[in-house]
Amino acid sequence: MTLEARGLTRILPGPVQQVLVRDVDLSIAPGEFVAVSGPSGSGKSSLLYLLGLLDVPTAGEILVDGAPSAALAEDARASLRLARFGFVFQFHFLLPEFSALENVRLPMRRLGALAPEAAAARARALLESLDIGDQAGKRPDQLSGGQRQRVAIARALANDPAYLLADEPTGALDSANAAAVFGIFRTLAREGRTVIVVTHDEGLAQTASRRVRMKDGLVVADEGT
Amino acid sequence: MPLTLAVALAHLLGRRRQTAVSMLGVALGVGFFIAISGMMNGFHEFFRGELIESNPHIVVTDEFRLPAEQPLHAQHADAAVEIRRVLPRDPVRGINHAAEMLEGLAAIPGVAAAPTLRGQVLLRRAGRDWSVAVLGIDPDREVQVTSLASDMIAGTIDALKATPDGIILGKTLADRMGVEVGDAVNGVSRSAQVARLRVVGIFKTGLEALDSGQAFVGLRKQQSLQDRPRIVNEIRIRLDDVSRSIEMAALIESRWSYKAAPWEETNARVLAVFTLQNVIIYSTVGAILIVAGFGIFNVISTVVLEKARDIAIMKSIGFSGASIARIFVIEGLIVGVLGSLVGFCVGFGIAEALRAVPAPGATDPNQTLLVSLPAWRYALAGGLATLSAVVAGWLPARRAARTNPLEIIRGAA
Ligand SMILES: Nc1ncnc2c1ncn2[C@@H]1O[C@H](COP(=O)(O)OP(=O)(O)O)[C@@H](O)[C@H]1O
Ligand SMILES: [Mg+2]
């Protein structure tokens, strides 16, 4: 259940080619809590999108669960994301017309592995484990920023993903909420999930089990605790 | 409820007013199509019915479609012979052996035939002339081939038998001439024969051409007026099964060579007008539905733009492009189907209202507009509207399916 990058390179084509990620090798094992930090524009988000099969590398490859993903068509990558990955972004991206509970159920309904009642029960349990069980019926615009981000995390966990990828998930939160979210990630990693969080907050990065630093698209440091 | 349907409904409910307006467009297109085509076809069916009732189903005249075979051809059967400008046969002769032909026709099951001599007569009264197509008829046989008997509003056909110089006029013509049953009119034929005629009956078919320009006299009377004794130039035929008119006419024509025109041929111009009217209705409604389609396209395009973030997150979560597209196609489908259902009610309502409107120019003052609305016309209108709505949804849906979620996710950070 490892997520592995080999010689990963992403170059934006155009008159002036722009290198987003250059020759990255990473192997991330289950249970690891990886914080990716670095200055703004260093390629952290780009790396995360590549690892999460949202973007396609120019060179190199990603191995998901040990299997290469380069040959996968777009729909196959979408299916793999649905079953194996959870995403949290800086912006919550909750569907505004649906309640917190329905937003969390969304990936489960798409995957269709659980019966509707079981999916609803799981969504409720996820919201409760994130201390927002009492907000289940509310729509996103009735929730606070911290609550929305927790709903987004619950949605990312809906299909019990092996890999949880978060891009600056605390960027819009106050420090107390930010610390709480990192606490949640730490717990999730301890449960055996692979958690990769992009952050430019060095203090929070220090709480991760492994810290990857980037600069100009290159991984310049990779250290475990 | 399926997920895509739930999302589609949420989108439409989020834009209630625009959705309602685009649905209204569909409803009006469908409703007006149903109402107007129902009225038009009701009229067409009524008119066809009148034509079939009042006119013979087949008219055999003393003409040939093809010039007779020339002896030169027969003589040189294998040679290339071309003869130009063959003059048609002299029509004065009428139909040869008409009596035998009538017998032959009568022997065919489901066929009734009546001999007629048709000829123009100038009717004179109070110093004015009316040129009228006069048919010399055999009253006993005529009643078997046209609805003249039931169209009589004054007098009887049999009076032609009792009164040798009797004439039956159309209602409009009688009104114009200011005559009633019992009045006398003078008739002058092309051959300058003059006769004093007595009005013994008045008919009204509802077909203006007949009511204002046709009159009936006894066959004998007409033969003497036209100075063509014992001549018949038209045989009028009625069939038990009018739908066989074309094949029966062809059969008669092949057997006796005289031109036998089914009612569809005689009234080809009227039927062409009906076809044209239908074309106009269908294209007008097609245009309305296309405009309604633009409305739907507009709404769904707006939703696609507005929901770019939602589309992006769904794609990043793992929704396929096709499943995203399905959401917006379903939105088009919902607008199309609901709009059609409302349109059915609108169309039905207008059609019912039209059924209560008095028919202009009808014989019977209680006669109201006839509306013909078979179920398939509802299905056609609803089907076309739904199709246009689905296409209107599919165009923006395709764009939604192709969006790269990263463009939005990067931008939103
Ligand atoms: N689609 C794009 N077009 C142009 N430049 C881009 C695009 N995506 C990313 N970049 C640039 O690539 C670099 C790396 O971006 P990113 O991975 O978002 O860095 P980080 O997340 O570390 O801030 C930045 O300089 C960014 O401006
Ligand atoms: Mg970034």
Side-chain angles (χ1 to χ4, degrees), chain A residues 74-101:
Chain A
E74 193 175 331
D75 280 357
R77 280 190 287 127
S79 305
L80 198 54
R81 284 201 301 273
L82 182 67
R84 302 294 288 161
F85 289 84
F87 295 95
V88 181
F89 302 101
Q90 181 174 350
F91 182 76
H92 57 80
F93 285 112
L94 297 174
L95 302 192
E97 300 92 352
F98 292 91
S99 69
L101 188 78

PDB file of all heavy atoms in Angstrom, chain A residues 74-101:
ATOM      1  N   GLU A  74      -8.262   8.391 -18.536  1.00  0.00           N
ATOM      2  CA  GLU A  74      -8.781   9.376 -17.586  1.00  0.00           C
ATOM      3  C   GLU A  74      -9.854   8.778 -16.678  1.00  0.00           C
ATOM      4  O   GLU A  74      -9.860   9.003 -15.465  1.00  0.00           O
ATOM      5  CB  GLU A  74      -9.334  10.575 -18.346  1.00  0.00           C
ATOM      6  CG  GLU A  74      -9.588  11.732 -17.394  1.00  0.00           C
ATOM      7  CD  GLU A  74     -10.015  13.000 -18.122  1.00  0.00           C
ATOM      8  OE1 GLU A  74      -9.604  13.170 -19.276  1.00  0.00           O
ATOM      9  OE2 GLU A  74     -10.744  13.786 -17.513  1.00  0.00           O
ATOM     10  N   ASP A  75     -10.771   7.995 -17.261  1.00  0.00           N
ATOM     11  CA  ASP A  75     -11.836   7.415 -16.444  1.00  0.00           C
ATOM     12  C   ASP A  75     -11.282   6.413 -15.434  1.00  0.00           C
ATOM     13  O   ASP A  75     -11.772   6.312 -14.311  1.00  0.00           O
ATOM     14  CB  ASP A  75     -12.883   6.737 -17.339  1.00  0.00           C
ATOM     15  CG  ASP A  75     -13.845   7.744 -17.942  1.00  0.00           C
ATOM     16  OD1 ASP A  75     -13.711   8.946 -17.614  1.00  0.00           O
ATOM     17  OD2 ASP A  75     -14.718   7.336 -18.727  1.00  0.00           O
ATOM     18  N   ALA A  76     -10.243   5.679 -15.833  1.00  0.00           N
ATOM     19  CA  ALA A  76      -9.648   4.706 -14.916  1.00  0.00           C
ATOM     20  C   ALA A  76      -8.959   5.434 -13.761  1.00  0.00           C
ATOM     21  O   ALA A  76      -9.034   5.000 -12.600  1.00  0.00           O
ATOM     22  CB  ALA A  76      -8.647   3.830 -15.662  1.00  0.00           C
ATOM     23  N   ARG A  77      -8.304   6.562 -14.077  1.00  0.00           N
ATOM     24  CA  ARG A  77      -7.690   7.345 -12.995  1.00  0.00           C
ATOM     25  C   ARG A  77      -8.769   7.888 -12.075  1.00  0.00           C
ATOM     26  O   ARG A  77      -8.611   7.903 -10.855  1.00  0.00           O
ATOM     27  CB  ARG A  77      -6.864   8.500 -13.582  1.00  0.00           C
ATOM     28  CG  ARG A  77      -5.486   8.039 -14.059  1.00  0.00           C
ATOM     29  CD  ARG A  77      -4.592   9.216 -14.404  1.00  0.00           C
ATOM     30  NE  ARG A  77      -4.998   9.847 -15.645  1.00  0.00           N
ATOM     31  CZ  ARG A  77      -5.245  11.156 -15.775  1.00  0.00           C
ATOM     32  NH1 ARG A  77      -5.091  11.961 -14.739  1.00  0.00           N
ATOM     33  NH2 ARG A  77      -5.617  11.641 -16.928  1.00  0.00           N
ATOM     34  N   ALA A  78      -9.904   8.303 -12.659  1.00  0.00           N
ATOM     35  CA  ALA A  78     -10.998   8.811 -11.833  1.00  0.00           C
ATOM     36  C   ALA A  78     -11.502   7.716 -10.891  1.00  0.00           C
ATOM     37  O   ALA A  78     -11.728   7.964  -9.702  1.00  0.00           O
ATOM     38  CB  ALA A  78     -12.132   9.322 -12.722  1.00  0.00           C
ATOM     39  N   SER A  79     -11.641   6.501 -11.394  1.00  0.00           N
ATOM     40  CA  SER A  79     -12.118   5.404 -10.540  1.00  0.00           C
ATOM     41  C   SER A  79     -11.126   5.123  -9.418  1.00  0.00           C
ATOM     42  O   SER A  79     -11.519   4.858  -8.280  1.00  0.00           O
ATOM     43  CB  SER A  79     -12.297   4.128 -11.368  1.00  0.00           C
ATOM     44  OG  SER A  79     -13.136   4.372 -12.444  1.00  0.00           O
ATOM     45  N   LEU A  80      -9.852   5.169  -9.774  1.00  0.00           N
ATOM     46  CA  LEU A  80      -8.825   4.907  -8.768  1.00  0.00           C
ATOM     47  C   LEU A  80      -8.837   5.993  -7.687  1.00  0.00           C
ATOM     48  O   LEU A  80      -8.733   5.704  -6.492  1.00  0.00           O
ATOM     49  CB  LEU A  80      -7.450   4.850  -9.454  1.00  0.00           C
ATOM     50  CG  LEU A  80      -6.306   4.192  -8.684  1.00  0.00           C
ATOM     51  CD1 LEU A  80      -6.683   2.790  -8.240  1.00  0.00           C
ATOM     52  CD2 LEU A  80      -5.048   4.134  -9.567  1.00  0.00           C
ATOM     53  N   ARG A  81      -9.004   7.237  -8.101  1.00  0.00           N
ATOM     54  CA  ARG A  81      -9.098   8.339  -7.128  1.00  0.00           C
ATOM     55  C   ARG A  81     -10.283   8.120  -6.201  1.00  0.00           C
ATOM     56  O   ARG A  81     -10.193   8.293  -4.993  1.00  0.00           O
ATOM     57  CB  ARG A  81      -9.284   9.685  -7.846  1.00  0.00           C
ATOM     58  CG  ARG A  81      -8.047  10.253  -8.474  1.00  0.00           C
ATOM     59  CD  ARG A  81      -8.177  11.773  -8.693  1.00  0.00           C
ATOM     60  NE  ARG A  81      -9.293  12.155  -9.541  1.00  0.00           N
ATOM     61  CZ  ARG A  81      -9.244  12.221 -10.867  1.00  0.00           C
ATOM     62  NH1 ARG A  81      -8.123  11.911 -11.498  1.00  0.00           N
ATOM     63  NH2 ARG A  81     -10.289  12.578 -11.564  1.00  0.00           N
ATOM     64  N   LEU A  82     -11.411   7.715  -6.808  1.00  0.00           N
ATOM     65  CA  LEU A  82     -12.637   7.552  -6.032  1.00  0.00           C
ATOM     66  C   LEU A  82     -12.445   6.502  -4.935  1.00  0.00           C
ATOM     67  O   LEU A  82     -12.888   6.677  -3.804  1.00  0.00           O
ATOM     68  CB  LEU A  82     -13.776   7.139  -6.973  1.00  0.00           C
ATOM     69  CG  LEU A  82     -15.158   6.974  -6.352  1.00  0.00           C
ATOM     70  CD1 LEU A  82     -15.685   8.322  -5.875  1.00  0.00           C
ATOM     71  CD2 LEU A  82     -16.135   6.372  -7.360  1.00  0.00           C
ATOM     72  N   ALA A  83     -11.773   5.407  -5.274  1.00  0.00           N
ATOM     73  CA  ALA A  83     -11.678   4.282  -4.344  1.00  0.00           C
ATOM     74  C   ALA A  83     -10.504   4.413  -3.383  1.00  0.00           C
ATOM     75  O   ALA A  83     -10.579   3.940  -2.247  1.00  0.00           O
ATOM     76  CB  ALA A  83     -11.560   2.981  -5.135  1.00  0.00           C
ATOM     77  N   ARG A  84      -9.406   5.039  -3.813  1.00  0.00           N
ATOM     78  CA  ARG A  84      -8.175   4.964  -3.021  1.00  0.00           C
ATOM     79  C   ARG A  84      -7.716   6.293  -2.439  1.00  0.00           C
ATOM     80  O   ARG A  84      -6.885   6.295  -1.538  1.00  0.00           O
ATOM     81  CB  ARG A  84      -7.049   4.397  -3.891  1.00  0.00           C
ATOM     82  CG  ARG A  84      -7.326   3.035  -4.475  1.00  0.00           C
ATOM     83  CD  ARG A  84      -7.429   1.960  -3.418  1.00  0.00           C
ATOM     84  NE  ARG A  84      -6.124   1.656  -2.835  1.00  0.00           N
ATOM     85  CZ  ARG A  84      -5.947   1.035  -1.671  1.00  0.00           C
ATOM     86  NH1 ARG A  84      -7.000   0.679  -0.959  1.00  0.00           N
ATOM     87  NH2 ARG A  84      -4.738   0.796  -1.218  1.00  0.00           N
ATOM     88  N   PHE A  85      -8.194   7.415  -2.968  1.00  0.00           N
ATOM     89  CA  PHE A  85      -7.673   8.710  -2.524  1.00  0.00           C
ATOM     90  C   PHE A  85      -8.758   9.576  -1.886  1.00  0.00           C
ATOM     91  O   PHE A  85      -9.941   9.475  -2.243  1.00  0.00           O
ATOM     92  CB  PHE A  85      -7.095   9.496  -3.710  1.00  0.00           C
ATOM     93  CG  PHE A  85      -5.821   8.939  -4.252  1.00  0.00           C
ATOM     94  CD1 PHE A  85      -5.844   7.905  -5.182  1.00  0.00           C
ATOM     95  CD2 PHE A  85      -4.600   9.435  -3.819  1.00  0.00           C
ATOM     96  CE1 PHE A  85      -4.659   7.385  -5.683  1.00  0.00           C
ATOM     97  CE2 PHE A  85      -3.410   8.916  -4.325  1.00  0.00           C
ATOM     98  CZ  PHE A  85      -3.439   7.881  -5.260  1.00  0.00           C
ATOM     99  N   GLY A  86      -8.312  10.381  -0.930  1.00  0.00           N
ATOM    100  CA  GLY A  86      -9.188  11.418  -0.411  1.00  0.00           C
ATOM    101  C   GLY A  86      -8.455  12.739  -0.537  1.00  0.00           C
ATOM    102  O   GLY A  86      -7.245  12.801  -0.331  1.00  0.00           O
ATOM    103  N   PHE A  87      -9.187  13.785  -0.934  1.00  0.00           N
ATOM    104  CA  PHE A  87      -8.551  15.091  -1.120  1.00  0.00           C
ATOM    105  C   PHE A  87      -9.175  16.134  -0.200  1.00  0.00           C
ATOM    106  O   PHE A  87     -10.390  16.165  -0.012  1.00  0.00           O
ATOM    107  CB  PHE A  87      -8.707  15.582  -2.560  1.00  0.00           C
ATOM    108  CG  PHE A  87      -7.995  14.742  -3.571  1.00  0.00           C
ATOM    109  CD1 PHE A  87      -8.664  13.731  -4.250  1.00  0.00           C
ATOM    110  CD2 PHE A  87      -6.643  14.952  -3.835  1.00  0.00           C
ATOM    111  CE1 PHE A  87      -8.008  12.952  -5.185  1.00  0.00           C
ATOM    112  CE2 PHE A  87      -5.984  14.173  -4.771  1.00  0.00           C
ATOM    113  CZ  PHE A  87      -6.664  13.157  -5.451  1.00  0.00           C
ATOM    114  N   VAL A  88      -8.287  16.980   0.354  1.00  0.00           N
ATOM    115  CA  VAL A  88      -8.760  18.158   1.074  1.00  0.00           C
ATOM    116  C   VAL A  88      -7.981  19.338   0.518  1.00  0.00           C
ATOM    117  O   VAL A  88      -6.756  19.261   0.381  1.00  0.00           O
ATOM    118  CB  VAL A  88      -8.516  18.037   2.596  1.00  0.00           C
ATOM    119  CG1 VAL A  88      -9.051  19.263   3.318  1.00  0.00           C
ATOM    120  CG2 VAL A  88      -9.145  16.767   3.137  1.00  0.00           C
ATOM    121  N   PHE A  89      -8.705  20.392   0.135  1.00  0.00           N
ATOM    122  CA  PHE A  89      -8.031  21.569  -0.409  1.00  0.00           C
ATOM    123  C   PHE A  89      -8.184  22.740   0.556  1.00  0.00           C
ATOM    124  O   PHE A  89      -8.934  22.664   1.529  1.00  0.00           O
ATOM    125  CB  PHE A  89      -8.612  21.917  -1.788  1.00  0.00           C
ATOM    126  CG  PHE A  89      -8.497  20.789  -2.782  1.00  0.00           C
ATOM    127  CD1 PHE A  89      -9.596  19.983  -3.080  1.00  0.00           C
ATOM    128  CD2 PHE A  89      -7.279  20.513  -3.397  1.00  0.00           C
ATOM    129  CE1 PHE A  89      -9.483  18.941  -3.990  1.00  0.00           C
ATOM    130  CE2 PHE A  89      -7.170  19.463  -4.303  1.00  0.00           C
ATOM    131  CZ  PHE A  89      -8.270  18.674  -4.594  1.00  0.00           C
ATOM    132  N   GLN A  90      -7.478  23.816   0.225  1.00  0.00           N
ATOM    133  CA  GLN A  90      -7.590  24.990   1.105  1.00  0.00           C
ATOM    134  C   GLN A  90      -9.033  25.487   1.136  1.00  0.00           C
ATOM    135  O   GLN A  90      -9.572  25.811   2.179  1.00  0.00           O
ATOM    136  CB  GLN A  90      -6.657  26.102   0.616  1.00  0.00           C
ATOM    137  CG  GLN A  90      -6.717  27.336   1.513  1.00  0.00           C
ATOM    138  CD  GLN A  90      -5.688  28.381   1.107  1.00  0.00           C
ATOM    139  OE1 GLN A  90      -4.817  28.133   0.284  1.00  0.00           O
ATOM    140  NE2 GLN A  90      -5.786  29.550   1.722  1.00  0.00           N
ATOM    141  N   PHE A  91      -9.648  25.509  -0.057  1.00  0.00           N
ATOM    142  CA  PHE A  91     -11.068  25.852  -0.135  1.00  0.00           C
ATOM    143  C   PHE A  91     -11.857  24.563   0.048  1.00  0.00           C
ATOM    144  O   PHE A  91     -11.473  23.503  -0.449  1.00  0.00           O
ATOM    145  CB  PHE A  91     -11.366  26.496  -1.510  1.00  0.00           C
ATOM    146  CG  PHE A  91     -12.786  26.933  -1.683  1.00  0.00           C
ATOM    147  CD1 PHE A  91     -13.247  28.093  -1.072  1.00  0.00           C
ATOM    148  CD2 PHE A  91     -13.666  26.176  -2.436  1.00  0.00           C
ATOM    149  CE1 PHE A  91     -14.561  28.502  -1.226  1.00  0.00           C
ATOM    150  CE2 PHE A  91     -14.989  26.565  -2.591  1.00  0.00           C
ATOM    151  CZ  PHE A  91     -15.440  27.732  -1.986  1.00  0.00           C
ATOM    152  N   HIS A  92     -12.987  24.659   0.768  1.00  0.00           N
ATOM    153  CA  HIS A  92     -13.679  23.410   1.153  1.00  0.00           C
ATOM    154  C   HIS A  92     -14.338  22.671  -0.010  1.00  0.00           C
ATOM    155  O   HIS A  92     -14.444  21.468   0.003  1.00  0.00           O
ATOM    156  CB  HIS A  92     -14.725  23.723   2.228  1.00  0.00           C
ATOM    157  CG  HIS A  92     -15.726  24.754   1.808  1.00  0.00           C
ATOM    158  ND1 HIS A  92     -16.791  24.446   1.010  1.00  0.00           N
ATOM    159  CD2 HIS A  92     -15.807  26.083   2.054  1.00  0.00           C
ATOM    160  CE1 HIS A  92     -17.499  25.544   0.794  1.00  0.00           C
ATOM    161  NE2 HIS A  92     -16.915  26.558   1.408  1.00  0.00           N
ATOM    162  N   PHE A  93     -14.801  23.430  -1.043  1.00  0.00           N
ATOM    163  CA  PHE A  93     -15.449  22.803  -2.205  1.00  0.00           C
ATOM    164  C   PHE A  93     -16.638  21.923  -1.857  1.00  0.00           C
ATOM    165  O   PHE A  93     -16.864  20.889  -2.491  1.00  0.00           O
ATOM    166  CB  PHE A  93     -14.455  21.960  -3.021  1.00  0.00           C
ATOM    167  CG  PHE A  93     -13.502  22.778  -3.844  1.00  0.00           C
ATOM    168  CD1 PHE A  93     -12.146  22.812  -3.534  1.00  0.00           C
ATOM    169  CD2 PHE A  93     -13.943  23.509  -4.929  1.00  0.00           C
ATOM    170  CE1 PHE A  93     -11.266  23.557  -4.296  1.00  0.00           C
ATOM    171  CE2 PHE A  93     -13.059  24.250  -5.702  1.00  0.00           C
ATOM    172  CZ  PHE A  93     -11.716  24.275  -5.378  1.00  0.00           C
ATOM    173  N   LEU A  94     -17.393  22.316  -0.835  1.00  0.00           N
ATOM    174  CA  LEU A  94     -18.610  21.548  -0.542  1.00  0.00           C
ATOM    175  C   LEU A  94     -19.699  21.997  -1.512  1.00  0.00           C
ATOM    176  O   LEU A  94     -19.738  23.160  -1.921  1.00  0.00           O
ATOM    177  CB  LEU A  94     -19.057  21.796   0.899  1.00  0.00           C
ATOM    178  CG  LEU A  94     -18.056  21.333   1.961  1.00  0.00           C
ATOM    179  CD1 LEU A  94     -18.526  21.756   3.354  1.00  0.00           C
ATOM    180  CD2 LEU A  94     -17.854  19.826   1.902  1.00  0.00           C
ATOM    181  N   LEU A  95     -20.589  21.074  -1.882  1.00  0.00           N
ATOM    182  CA  LEU A  95     -21.695  21.457  -2.767  1.00  0.00           C
ATOM    183  C   LEU A  95     -22.698  22.273  -1.956  1.00  0.00           C
ATOM    184  O   LEU A  95     -23.207  21.793  -0.943  1.00  0.00           O
ATOM    185  CB  LEU A  95     -22.391  20.226  -3.357  1.00  0.00           C
ATOM    186  CG  LEU A  95     -21.526  19.266  -4.171  1.00  0.00           C
ATOM    187  CD1 LEU A  95     -22.414  18.272  -4.931  1.00  0.00           C
ATOM    188  CD2 LEU A  95     -20.630  19.997  -5.149  1.00  0.00           C
ATOM    189  N   PRO A  96     -22.968  23.505  -2.382  1.00  0.00           N
ATOM    190  CA  PRO A  96     -23.744  24.428  -1.537  1.00  0.00           C
ATOM    191  C   PRO A  96     -25.194  24.001  -1.314  1.00  0.00           C
ATOM    192  O   PRO A  96     -25.783  24.375  -0.298  1.00  0.00           O
ATOM    193  CB  PRO A  96     -23.668  25.752  -2.294  1.00  0.00           C
ATOM    194  CG  PRO A  96     -23.351  25.397  -3.703  1.00  0.00           C
ATOM    195  CD  PRO A  96     -22.543  24.148  -3.639  1.00  0.00           C
ATOM    196  N   GLU A  97     -25.763  23.225  -2.245  1.00  0.00           N
ATOM    197  CA  GLU A  97     -27.189  22.886  -2.102  1.00  0.00           C
ATOM    198  C   GLU A  97     -27.410  21.714  -1.157  1.00  0.00           C
ATOM    199  O   GLU A  97     -28.560  21.430  -0.810  1.00  0.00           O
ATOM    200  CB  GLU A  97     -27.805  22.514  -3.453  1.00  0.00           C
ATOM    201  CG  GLU A  97     -27.747  23.590  -4.517  1.00  0.00           C
ATOM    202  CD  GLU A  97     -26.505  23.473  -5.374  1.00  0.00           C
ATOM    203  OE1 GLU A  97     -25.619  22.648  -5.031  1.00  0.00           O
ATOM    204  OE2 GLU A  97     -26.399  24.204  -6.373  1.00  0.00           O
ATOM    205  N   PHE A  98     -26.334  21.030  -0.788  1.00  0.00           N
ATOM    206  CA  PHE A  98     -26.508  19.798  -0.023  1.00  0.00           C
ATOM    207  C   PHE A  98     -26.048  19.985   1.416  1.00  0.00           C
ATOM    208  O   PHE A  98     -25.173  20.798   1.701  1.00  0.00           O
ATOM    209  CB  PHE A  98     -25.715  18.665  -0.685  1.00  0.00           C
ATOM    210  CG  PHE A  98     -26.282  18.259  -2.020  1.00  0.00           C
ATOM    211  CD1 PHE A  98     -25.838  18.844  -3.200  1.00  0.00           C
ATOM    212  CD2 PHE A  98     -27.281  17.299  -2.100  1.00  0.00           C
ATOM    213  CE1 PHE A  98     -26.375  18.479  -4.421  1.00  0.00           C
ATOM    214  CE2 PHE A  98     -27.820  16.923  -3.322  1.00  0.00           C
ATOM    215  CZ  PHE A  98     -27.367  17.515  -4.480  1.00  0.00           C
ATOM    216  N   SER A  99     -26.655  19.228   2.321  1.00  0.00           N
ATOM    217  CA  SER A  99     -26.282  19.295   3.730  1.00  0.00           C
ATOM    218  C   SER A  99     -24.900  18.683   3.916  1.00  0.00           C
ATOM    219  O   SER A  99     -24.367  18.026   3.020  1.00  0.00           O
ATOM    220  CB  SER A  99     -27.301  18.518   4.570  1.00  0.00           C
ATOM    221  OG  SER A  99     -27.184  17.139   4.300  1.00  0.00           O
ATOM    222  N   ALA A 100     -24.332  18.913   5.108  1.00  0.00           N
ATOM    223  CA  ALA A 100     -23.028  18.340   5.436  1.00  0.00           C
ATOM    224  C   ALA A 100     -23.070  16.829   5.244  1.00  0.00           C
ATOM    225  O   ALA A 100     -22.172  16.238   4.623  1.00  0.00           O
ATOM    226  CB  ALA A 100     -22.671  18.693   6.881  1.00  0.00           C
ATOM    227  N   LEU A 101     -24.128  16.217   5.742  1.00  0.00           N
ATOM    228  CA  LEU A 101     -24.250  14.756   5.642  1.00  0.00           C
ATOM    229  C   LEU A 101     -24.277  14.305   4.180  1.00  0.00           C
ATOM    230  O   LEU A 101     -23.587  13.356   3.793  1.00  0.00           O
ATOM    231  CB  LEU A 101     -25.531  14.299   6.350  1.00  0.00           C
ATOM    232  CG  LEU A 101     -25.672  12.788   6.476  1.00  0.00           C
ATOM    233  CD1 LEU A 101     -24.795  12.279   7.608  1.00  0.00           C
ATOM    234  CD2 LEU A 101     -27.114  12.392   6.701  1.00  0.00           C
TER     235      LEU A 101
END
